[in-house]
Amino acid sequence: MHRFDVETLTAGRWRNGGGATREIVSWPVGAGEFRWRASVADIDRGGPFSAFPGVDRTLTLLTGDGVRLTAPGGFDRTARAEEPLPFPGDLELTAELLGGACRVLNIMVRRGRAVARVERVTGPVVRAVGRAGVFHVLRGRWSTGAGESPLAAGQGVWWDGDDEAPGRAVTPLSPDAAALWADVVPVG
């Protein structure tokens, strides 16, 4: 497993100036086209979202009052705290911030190459053989079972299906523990 702390990841500004993204991982690392990607974005103001043709996305609000996403053709959904919101990346989205700036976890998978399921968890998460994943702590403390210091809010781990030690769990250490888990399954 590869540890990360969102606050130590390099933030890159969006081309439209509406926010910044901190990339957790883009897999395969160094490839021109990702199979799957995880990042945390700070959205400073409403406006257009970049379209990602052929990509399925799941956005989860980490902080802020909400983000309303609309697109031509009737797409109209609102991202609320800790509720994963899946949508096709092909859409020409416009974002409206409900109450000001916010932070989101963004999971993207290349359609036909991977499928992602993102859920809020409060119990142990066990890595499955051949699957990738991202685990992002919302609150509380979590153990990776590797003798390392516990994970806290804004920290996490990611792994690819080729990483060693399948079956190793990430487990809660405090009663208030909650996290987001993205299970990334290869297709084909």
Side-chain angles (χ1 to χ4, degrees), residues 123-149:
V125 170
V126 178
R127 291 181 40 198
V129 175
R131 292 185 178 185
V134 176
F135 185 88
H136 180 276
V137 176
L138 296 169
R139 67 186 144 277
R141 295 180 320 117
W142 293 78
S143 169
T144 62
E148 300 170 346
S149 59

Side-chain angles (χ1 to χ4, degrees), residues 66-139:
V67 180
R68 180 178 177 207
L69 300 175
T70 57
F75 183 90
D76 188 343
R77 297 196 185 147
T78 300
R80 305 207 184 277
E82 302 178 13
E83 296 177 8
L85 174 63
F87 58 92
D90 313 78
L91 297 175
E92 293 179 27
L93 293 170
T94 299
E96 174 189 352
L97 302 183
L98 308 178
C102 63
R103 178 173 274 187
V104 298
L105 176 67
N106 187 29
I107 304 294
M108 297 191 290
V109 294
R110 183 92 38 211
R111 196 173 302 129
R113 302 201 51 212
V115 175
R117 185 192 76 224
V118 181
E119 63 181 289
R120 182 183 175 279
V121 296
T122 57
V125 170
V126 178
R127 291 181 40 198
V129 175
R131 292 185 178 185
V134 176
F135 185 88
H136 180 276
V137 176
L138 296 169
R139 67 186 144 277

Side-chain angles (χ1 to χ4, degrees), residues 32-49:
E33 181 176 277
F34 64 82
R35 180 181 309 147
W36 64 276
R37 180 178 185 243
S39 62
V40 171
D42 293 307
I43 307 173
D44 301 331
R45 64 176 188 257
F49 260 36

